[in-house]
Amino acid sequence: MTDPAGNKLDDAPLSRFHKKLALYSSGGPFLDGYVLSIIGVAMVQISPQLHLSDSAEGLIGASALIGIFLGAFVGGWLTDKFGRQLLYTIDLIAIIVCSVAQFWAADPVWLFILRLLIGMAVGADYPIATSLLAEFTPRRYRGPLLGGLVVMWFVGAAVAYIVGEILLQTGADGWRWMLASAALPATVIVLLRHGTPESPRWLANKGRTEEANAVLDRVYGPDVTIADLPDEAKERENVDIKAILRSGYGGRMLYITVFWTCSIVPLFAIYAFGPKILDALQLKGGLANIGEAMITVMFLIGCVIALFGVNRMGRRPLVIHSFVWSGLALLLLGIFPDAPSGVIMTLFALYAVIIGGTQILQWIYPNELFPTEVRGSAVGLASSASRIGAAVGTYLVPMALTDWGVGGTMIAAAVINGVGAVVSVFWAPETRGMALHESAALTPRTARIEATGRPAGV
């Protein structure tokens, strides 16, 4: 294997293949944002028609998140065992089938089950798509391309609010069309993903050298072979998924789980019950849906700004500042819930823009900090663990709004952001400028990064 300094894969130019792979991989986050957000609009009709209590509303709102918890870990294990390519398509077919089936859901139980299954398929796509993209992408572009996946989450959310608002006007069955509509983008993504090659790093790790060489020749040309892949085994001791929690990777897993949980609990709660929250803040009816769409645009802007800054600013400063200042916006919303509508929208917009740093790092950190043979499993485990908190938080939102009021609910969200900021100050590593095998290795260099929060020489 070649010396990392001259690695042809990590230092390759960004090609048309890399751009297409990033676009196709973004389909999972798009569907995640769409599926989670459309339920917030649909709930306006579902709740009175199915006579849902606050508890039932919370369960249906959180059902996809519970599914993601289950699917992400299972999908991660499967993609490490059977490869990235096969599962890259199967999970989306499951989303199509279950989305269409929602149209005929006649009671809350079936709706919960179907959305649970959709969540499992969406969750499985997290480790599959991100592992595949991380293992193909040159180091210079890995952060922006992986972080860019989350932009599509917000695109999906924005599209969901637009589609939802249109379908609300079609009558009492509008919510059925809303939930079934996820099948359309899922079908497009399946067709686009067809023919994507397997990861050569995964193939090489499994000893399938001829197939790995064939993929490298197809993507990089005949001058690149398996000999140009970095020897990850030299960078660390052998590790499997069972060893993650008891090895040097246990600390990384703990940090990623806490950071990821703190960054998504307030955000997912806002998306699952956005119109209801904005209604409580005096933005009524259709204005609440429009306000939610505007906030989504701000989320998009925040993620794009973070993408441009992640390599310049570094991972560690970005995550800390993002938690601190977005949490301050939530705190002010909690302290002044009766402020004028313009102030409310401004504070929500500030939260949405500033939280972009933590959002893009959800896709960057997990893929950079674990080795190839367990990357999918590690990403899946972290995603699953974070969804426990997200599901609990989403389930509790309707009851929190009833018992604490919108002010208390926003203060609770600010506290969660504060926890994320504190753990990031102590634990957030810096992986900027590293090759993938370097950032994943437990070596003296990475040990120094874990201790100081920045790479040597930076």
Side-chain angles (χ1 to χ4, degrees):
M1 303 278 181
T2 61
D3 181 80
N7 188 275
K8 294 180 181 179
L9 275 72
D10 281 311
D11 296 317
L14 190 67
S15 68
R16 184 168 177 267
F17 169 81
H18 293 124
K19 295 174 184 177
K20 288 170 62 178
L21 182 62
L23 177 63
Y24 303 162
S25 296
S26 70
F30 176 92
L31 288 170
D32 186 11
Y34 190 95
V35 166
L36 182 65
S37 302
I38 200 77
I39 191 66
V41 184
M43 198 66 76
V44 174
Q45 291 184 331
I46 294 173
S47 189
Q49 287 188 31
L50 300 185
H51 310 291
L52 301 182
S53 64
D54 284 350
S55 177
E57 271 192 33
L59 277 173
I60 290 175
S63 56
L65 291 170
I66 299 170
I68 290 172
F69 158 71
L70 299 170
F73 179 72
V74 173
W77 179 80
L78 289 172
T79 195
D80 283 337
K81 187 173 182 64
F82 299 108
R84 287 57 164 130
Q85 181 192 41
L86 177 64
L87 298 165
Y88 198 51
T89 300
I90 292 176
D91 58 345
L92 294 183
I93 294 174
I95 293 173
I96 295 169
V97 173
C98 293
S99 293
V100 172
Q102 287 180 108
F103 186 86
W104 291 280
D107 59 66
V109 174
W110 272 111
L111 189 57
F112 175 86
I113 292 171
L114 289 170
R115 292 193 62 76
L116 180 76
L117 294 174
I118 291 171
M120 290 179 67
V122 169
D125 198 70
Y126 282 5
I128 297 166
T130 59
S131 295
L132 190 62
L133 183 59
E135 289 164 11
F136 270 111
T137 305
R139 77 177 90 189
R140 180 180 174 187
Y141 305 101
R142 189 175 62 244
L145 287 187
L146 283 171
L149 296 181
V150 80
V151 172
M152 293 303 292
W153 193 100
F154 294 108
V155 172
V159 172
Y161 277 104
I162 294 170
V163 171
E165 188 61 31
I166 293 171
L167 293 177
L168 269 180
Q169 314 307 318
T170 62
D173 286 335
W175 68 270
R176 297 182 183 275
W177 292 105
M178 287 184 221
L179 300 186
S181 65
L184 181 59
T187 301
V188 173
I189 297 163
V190 165
L191 295 175
L192 289 173
R193 286 184 175 185
H194 180 70
T196 301
E198 182 59 86
S199 164
R201 296 178 190 254
W202 181 86
L203 289 168
N205 190 265
K206 296 297 182 180
R208 294 161 61 175
T209 56
E210 290 187 9
E211 294 172 77
N213 278 325
V215 173
L216 291 170
D217 178 68
R218 172 184 168 185
V219 175
Y220 298 99
D223 293 334
V224 180
T225 68
I226 192 173
D228 295 299
L229 288 172
D231 190 351
E232 296 185 55
K234 293 180 179 178
E235 303 290 338
R236 65 183 185 282
E237 297 179 1
N238 290 332
V239 60
D240 58 27
I241 191 60
K242 293 180 181 178
I244 284 179
L245 296 179
R246 64 175 184 266
S247 69
Y249 292 102
R252 295 183 180 189
M253 178 60 66
L254 178 60
Y255 171 66
I256 288 172
T257 299
V258 174
F259 135 75
W260 202 337
T261 300
C262 291
S263 67
I264 64 173
V265 168
L267 184 142
F268 278 21
I270 288 170
Y271 267 99
F273 297 96
K276 190 169 183 176
I277 292 172
L278 290 175
D279 185 76
L281 290 168
Q282 311 307 315
L283 295 179
K284 303 290 185 180
L287 187 59
N289 287 333
I290 293 171
E292 190 76 9
M294 290 176 61
I295 292 170
T296 298
V297 173
M298 294 297 103
F299 277 122
L300 279 169
I301 292 172
C303 288
V304 171
I305 292 172
L307 287 176
F308 281 105
V310 67
N311 281 344
R312 294 182 177 88
M313 189 176 185
R315 278 64 159 160
R316 177 180 165 82
L318 182 61
V319 69
I320 294 171
H321 284 287
S322 183
F323 269 131
V324 169
W325 302 113
S326 63
L328 179 60
L330 290 176
L331 181 62
L332 291 174
L333 279 168
I335 295 173
F336 304 107
D338 298 319
S341 297
V343 174
I344 295 294
M345 285 304 302
T346 298
L347 288 172
F348 259 117
L350 285 173
Y351 165 76
V353 170
I354 299 169
I355 201 64
T358 69
Q359 298 308 304
I360 70 165
L361 286 167
Q362 293 169 20
W363 300 89
I364 298 173
Y365 263 151
N367 284 285
E368 290 185 334
L369 294 177
F370 297 95
T372 297
E373 65 264 34
V374 295
R375 182 168 293 116
S377 297
V379 173
L381 179 59
S383 178
S384 291
S386 71
R387 263 50 182 186
I388 297 174
V392 171
T394 303
Y395 169 72
L396 292 175
V397 165
M399 289 171 277
L401 288 171
T402 299
D403 296 339
W404 301 347
V406 70
T409 303
M410 292 296 100
I411 289 174
V415 170
I416 293 170
N417 263 47
V419 172
V422 171
V423 297
S424 295
V425 167
F426 285 100
W427 293 343
E430 183 58 79
T431 55
R432 177 179 54 176
M434 291 184 180
L436 193 60
H437 66 288
E438 293 175 327
S439 63
L442 292 177
T443 64
R445 184 184 180 200
T446 50
R448 179 178 173 185
I449 294 165
E450 300 288 343
T452 65
R454 58 183 182 277
V458 174

